[in-house]
């Protein structure tokens, strides 16, 4: 393996702001932010969504519309189809 071509592998603190959950994971990501976590300072990255807040992993289901696509179309544009 050649020297000085690989990024530094280090522990990085990821913060899911949606679920307010922290993950300490080894990564090569470079960041300018740092944060103290459990008495040590780590590089810090914020996330909008992770397995702690994603509906697939949490089991929460979104309510889909009960109307079909055709019914929705007819609801919006059905008044234009009236014959005089």
């Amino acid at each position: 393996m050649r020297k000085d071509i690989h990024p530094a592998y280090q522990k990085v603190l990821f913060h899911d702001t949606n679920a307010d959950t922290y993950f300490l994971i080894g990564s090569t990501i470079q960041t300018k932010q740092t944060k103290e976590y459990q008495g040590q300072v780590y590089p810090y990255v914020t996330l909008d969504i992770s397995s702690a807040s994603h509906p697939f992993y949490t089991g929460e289901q979104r309510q889909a519309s009960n109307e079909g696509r055709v019914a929705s179309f007819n609801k919006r544009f059905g008044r234009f189809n009236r014959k005089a």
Side-chain angles (χ1 to χ4, degrees), residues 62-73 75:
R62 295 182 186 160
Q63 286 292 342
S65 175
N66 292 335
E67 296 179 345
R69 294 179 82 180
V70 174
S72 177
F73 179 84
K75 182 178 177 182

Side-chain angles (χ1 to χ4, degrees), residues 13 15 22 33-38 40-45:
L13 182 64
H15 179 206
Y22 292 93
Q33 294 180 323
T34 59
K35 186 166 187 165
E36 185 175 342
Y37 181 71
Q38 296 179 347
Q40 292 189 342
V41 177
Y42 296 103
Y44 178 70
V45 177

Side-chain angles (χ1 to χ4, degrees), residues 17-47:
T17 56
N18 196 15
D20 196 29
T21 305
Y22 292 93
F23 300 96
L24 190 57
I25 301 172
S27 177
T28 59
I29 192 168
Q30 299 296 320
T31 180
K32 294 180 181 177
Q33 294 180 323
T34 59
K35 186 166 187 165
E36 185 175 342
Y37 181 71
Q38 296 179 347
Q40 292 189 342
V41 177
Y42 296 103
Y44 178 70
V45 177
T46 58
L47 303 172

Side-chain angles (χ1 to χ4, degrees), residues 1-27:
M1 197 162 50
R2 291 180 17 197
K3 293 182 181 182
D4 301 327
I5 63 167
H6 299 287
Y9 185 78
Q10 59 191 351
K11 294 283 186 178
V12 179
L13 182 64
F14 291 92
H15 179 206
D16 180 359
T17 56
N18 196 15
D20 196 29
T21 305
Y22 292 93
F23 300 96
L24 190 57
I25 301 172
S27 177

Side-chain angles (χ1 to χ4, degrees), residues 68-81:
R69 294 179 82 180
V70 174
S72 177
F73 179 84
N74 287 334
K75 182 178 177 182
R76 289 180 64 190
F77 300 106
R79 60 189 168 105
F80 297 114
N81 195 20

